[in-house]
Coordinates of all heavy atoms in Angstrom, one line a residue:
I117 N -43.4 -36.8 124.3 CA -42.0 -36.9 124.3 C -41.4 -35.6 124.7 O -41.8 -34.5 124.2 CB -41.4 -37.4 123.0 CG1 -41.8 -38.7 122.6 CG2 -39.9 -37.3 122.9 CD1 -41.6 -39.2 121.1
D118 N -40.4 -35.6 125.6 CA -39.7 -34.3 125.9 C -38.6 -34.1 124.9 O -37.6 -34.7 124.9 CB -39.1 -34.4 127.3 CG -38.5 -33.1 127.8 OD1 -38.3 -32.2 126.9 OD2 -38.2 -33.0 129.0
N119 N -38.9 -33.3 123.9 CA -37.9 -33.0 122.8 C -36.6 -32.4 123.2 O -35.7 -32.2 122.5 CB -38.6 -32.2 121.7 CG -39.7 -33.0 121.0 OD1 -39.6 -34.2 120.8 ND2 -40.8 -32.3 120.7
S120 N -36.6 -31.9 124.4 CA -35.3 -31.3 124.9 C -34.2 -32.3 125.3 O -33.1 -31.9 125.6 CB -35.6 -30.4 126.0 OG -36.1 -31.0 127.2
I121 N -34.7 -33.6 125.5 CA -33.7 -34.6 125.9 C -33.3 -35.5 124.8 O -34.2 -36.0 124.1 CB -34.4 -35.5 127.0 CG1 -34.8 -34.5 128.2 CG2 -33.5 -36.6 127.5 CD1 -35.6 -35.3 129.3
I122 N -32.0 -35.7 124.7 CA -31.5 -36.6 123.6 C -30.9 -37.8 124.5 O -30.0 -37.7 125.3 CB -30.3 -35.9 122.7 CG1 -31.0 -34.8 121.9 CG2 -29.7 -37.0 121.9 CD1 -29.9 -34.1 121.2
Q123 N -31.4 -39.0 124.1 CA -31.1 -40.1 125.0 C -30.4 -41.2 124.1 O -30.8 -41.5 123.0 CB -32.5 -40.7 125.5 CG -32.2 -41.9 126.4 CD -33.5 -42.4 127.0 OE1 -34.5 -42.1 126.5 NE2 -33.4 -43.2 128.1
E124 N -29.3 -41.7 124.6 CA -28.6 -42.8 123.9 C -29.2 -44.1 124.4 O -29.3 -44.3 125.7 CB -27.1 -42.7 124.1 CG -26.5 -41.5 123.4 CD -24.9 -41.6 123.5 OE1 -24.4 -42.1 124.5 OE2 -24.3 -41.1 122.6
I125 N -29.5 -45.1 123.5 CA -30.1 -46.3 123.8 C -29.1 -47.4 123.6 O -28.5 -47.6 122.6 CB -31.4 -46.5 123.0 CG1 -32.3 -45.3 123.1 CG2 -32.1 -47.8 123.4 CD1 -32.8 -45.0 124.5
D126 N -29.0 -48.3 124.6 CA -28.2 -49.5 124.5 C -29.1 -50.7 124.1 O -30.3 -50.8 124.5 CB -27.5 -49.9 125.8 CG -26.4 -48.9 126.2 OD1 -25.5 -48.8 125.3 OD2 -26.4 -48.4 127.2
V127 N -28.5 -51.7 123.4 CA -29.2 -53.0 123.2 C -29.4 -53.6 124.5 O -28.5 -53.7 125.4 CB -28.4 -53.9 122.2 CG1 -29.0 -55.3 122.2 CG2 -28.5 -53.3 120.8
K128 N -30.6 -54.0 124.9 CA -30.9 -54.6 126.1 C -30.4 -56.1 126.3 O -29.8 -56.4 127.3 CB -32.4 -54.5 126.5 CG -32.7 -55.1 127.8 CD -34.2 -55.0 128.1 CE -34.6 -55.5 129.5 NZ -36.1 -55.3 129.7
E129 N -30.7 -56.8 125.2 CA -30.4 -58.3 125.3 C -30.4 -58.8 123.9 O -31.1 -58.3 123.0 CB -31.3 -59.1 126.1 CG -31.0 -60.5 126.5 CD -29.6 -60.5 127.3 OE1 -29.7 -60.5 128.5 OE2 -28.5 -60.6 126.6
I130 N -29.5 -59.9 123.7 CA -29.6 -60.6 122.4 C -29.7 -62.1 122.7 O -29.1 -62.6 123.6 CB -28.3 -60.4 121.6 CG1 -28.2 -59.0 121.0 CG2 -28.2 -61.4 120.4 CD1 -27.1 -58.7 120.1
Y131 N -30.7 -62.7 122.1 CA -31.0 -64.2 122.2 C -30.6 -64.9 121.0 O -30.9 -64.4 119.9 CB -32.4 -64.4 122.5 CG -32.9 -63.8 123.8 CD1 -33.4 -62.4 123.8 CD2 -33.0 -64.5 125.0 CE1 -33.9 -61.9 124.9 CE2 -33.5 -63.9 126.1 CZ -33.9 -62.6 126.1 OH -34.4 -62.0 127.3
P132 N -29.9 -66.1 121.1 CA -29.5 -66.8 122.2 C -28.5 -65.9 123.1 O -27.6 -65.2 122.5 CB -28.8 -68.0 121.7 CG -29.3 -68.1 120.3 CD -29.5 -66.8 119.8
R133 N -28.6 -66.0 124.4 CA -27.7 -65.2 125.3 C -26.3 -65.9 125.5 O -25.3 -65.1 125.8 CB -28.4 -65.0 126.6 CG -29.6 -64.1 126.6 CD -30.3 -63.9 127.9 NE -31.0 -65.1 128.2 CZ -31.6 -65.3 129.4 NH1 -31.7 -64.4 130.3 NH2 -32.3 -66.5 129.6
D134 N -26.2 -67.1 125.3 CA -25.0 -67.9 125.5 C -23.9 -67.3 124.5 O -24.3 -66.9 123.4 CB -25.2 -69.3 125.3 CG -24.1 -70.2 126.0 OD1 -23.0 -69.6 126.3 OD2 -24.2 -71.4 126.1
N135 N -22.6 -67.5 124.8 CA -21.6 -67.1 123.8 C -21.0 -68.4 123.1 O -20.1 -68.3 122.4 CB -20.4 -66.4 124.5 CG -19.8 -67.2 125.6 OD1 -20.2 -68.4 125.9 ND2 -18.8 -66.6 126.3
K136 N -21.7 -69.5 123.3 CA -21.4 -70.7 122.6 C -22.7 -71.1 121.9 O -23.7 -71.5 122.5 CB -20.9 -71.8 123.4 CG -19.5 -71.5 124.0 CD -19.0 -72.7 124.8 CE -17.6 -72.4 125.4 NZ -16.6 -72.1 124.4
I137 N -22.7 -71.0 120.5 CA -24.0 -71.2 119.7 C -23.8 -72.3 118.7 O -22.8 -72.5 118.1 CB -24.3 -69.9 119.0 CG1 -24.7 -68.8 120.1 CG2 -25.5 -70.0 118.1 CD1 -24.9 -67.4 119.6
P138 N -24.8 -73.1 118.6 CA -24.8 -74.3 117.7 C -24.6 -73.9 116.2 O -25.1 -72.8 115.8 CB -26.0 -75.1 117.9 CG -27.0 -74.1 118.5 CD -26.2 -73.2 119.3

Side-chain angles (χ1 to χ4, degrees):
I117 297 170
D118 185 348
N119 291 323
S120 65
I121 299 174
I122 298 177
Q123 185 179 14
E124 291 188 328
I125 305 301
D126 288 303
V127 169
K128 182 178 180 180
E129 190 64 88
I130 291 184
Y131 299 87
R133 289 177 290 177
D134 202 346
N135 61 2
K136 292 185 182 296
I137 295 178

